[in-house]
Amino acid sequence: LPTPCKRPTKMARSCSLTLMLLAVFAVCSAVVLVSAEKRVIFAQVVHRHGSRTPFATVNKTRLCGSETGCGMLNDAGKEMLAAVGSWARSRYINNADSTLAYMWNVSTYNNKFVSTRSTNKARTLQSADSFLRGFFPSMTDFYPVIYSDNYNWDELLNINSLAAFRVAHLTDLSKKRQEHETSVLSRFTRVELCSIGRELFLDSVCCVPNFDVTDCAIQLRDIAVSFNTKPISSTNSNPQIRKAHL
């Protein structure tokens, strides 16, 4: 091989290149051989919450119901996360290529093999529970262990708890609200927003003089999305919000 003080000859450069190519080939071959024998020994599943009732600020009983409450997981949301849990079980346990099949070949909840972390919001805690009930199909009476932390200080699951992101969010908030209002008014007039709001008992939000277009639109959209998974979506009791949402 050439010394640091001597310019490498053409033959030396050729030999070095050949050795390099052989080394790369050997590494690639090793990767291929290892890949063919890989087994899953650890799985981490990250998911959002399921369908929920709206975040209503007024007329909560009419919009969210007296049993569920606002911002809570509804029946459709529970089914969504149970289905995700069932899929995860079929992918990581009922799978011959996964070592988890040998480690967790149980159908009921066991906190020795699973750790669950959630934000301390009702809808996310309910979603975590629903996921585990889909993942462990025989889990009926047992209550799973779900860890959570104060949402304001949860640096793992709440990005706004980090000062840099929080400052950036607050700095751009006014600009984003203005852009949002411009976008909404390009599709709906204030009179139309008021008409839709009145249909959903949001007169005090969408029909007062100089109402905040952004606040009105956000609440209307939130209710419309929630209604898509409720029986009310199949009736004609809310034609305007359904038309606007579609």
Side-chain angles (χ1 to χ4, degrees):
L1 292 178
T3 63
C5 299
K6 186 178 180 179
R7 183 181 180 84
T9 64
K10 183 176 181 180
M11 180 179 294
R13 290 197 299 269
S14 177
C15 291
S16 299
L17 180 59
T18 301
L19 290 173
M20 184 181 298
L21 291 175
L22 288 174
V24 171
F25 176 77
V27 171
C28 292
S29 299
V31 170
V32 171
L33 291 175
V34 172
S35 299
E37 299 179 359
K38 280 186 177 180
R39 292 291 184 273
V40 178
I41 60 173
F42 176 82
Q44 187 174 55
V45 180
V46 182
H47 62 81
R48 290 202 63 193
H49 60 78
S51 175
R52 57 167 176 75
T53 53
F55 289 125
T57 57
V58 295
N59 293 310
K60 296 183 179 181
T61 300
R62 284 183 172 181
L63 293 171
C64 305
S66 57
E67 297 181 0
T68 305
C70 293
M72 306 281 280
L73 212 65
N74 54 29
D75 290 339
K78 296 173 185 177
E79 293 175 3
M80 287 178 185
L81 268 299
V84 175
S86 179
W87 171 85
R89 181 177 182 82
S90 66
R91 175 66 180 84
Y92 296 111
I93 294 185
N94 302 334
N95 188 333
D97 293 330
S98 175
T99 305
L100 300 185
Y102 307 102
M103 294 174 59
W104 297 358
N105 192 20
V106 292
S107 59
T108 189
Y109 177 81
N110 190 329
N111 64 355
K112 293 181 180 179
F113 302 124
V114 61
S115 178
T116 305
R117 181 78 157 75
S118 169
T119 54
N120 65 346
K121 302 291 184 180
R123 60 188 179 278
T124 55
L125 291 166
Q126 291 173 312
S127 295
D129 180 273
S130 297
F131 173 89
L132 290 170
R133 293 183 186 280
F135 194 79
F136 296 104
S138 297
M139 185 176 73
T140 53
D141 299 328
F142 196 88
Y143 292 94
V145 179
I146 302 173
Y147 298 96
S148 64
D149 198 358
N150 184 305
Y151 187 71
N152 293 327
W153 303 103
D154 191 347
E155 296 185 354
L156 177 64
L157 301 178
N158 176 20
I159 194 172
N160 283 326
S161 67
L162 302 177
F165 288 99
R166 184 64 178 168
V167 170
H169 171 73
L170 293 175
T171 302
D172 293 338
L173 186 60
S174 178
K175 179 182 178 181
K176 289 180 180 178
R177 288 182 67 87
Q178 182 59 50
E179 292 174 349
H180 188 274
E181 178 174 328
T182 301
S183 176
V184 172
L185 291 178
S186 68
R187 297 185 58 189
F188 305 97
T189 65
R190 286 179 172 268
V191 174
E192 290 173 328
L193 290 172
C194 175
S195 180
I196 299 171
R198 183 171 286 119
E199 180 180 87
L200 298 176
F201 323 114
L202 295 181
D203 304 57
S204 61
V205 178
C206 300
C207 296
V208 295
N210 299 318
F211 67 86
D212 190 306
V213 171
T214 296
D215 287 342
C216 171
I218 288 175
Q219 292 201 44
L220 289 178
R221 181 188 179 281
D222 187 53
I223 294 171
V225 172
S226 300
F227 277 12
N228 275 345
T229 56
K230 294 176 62 177
I232 195 170
S233 64
S234 61
T235 70
N236 293 319
S237 57
N238 301 91
Q240 292 192 71
I241 187 62
R242 189 170 301 104
K243 179 180 178 182
H245 183 55
L246 294 176

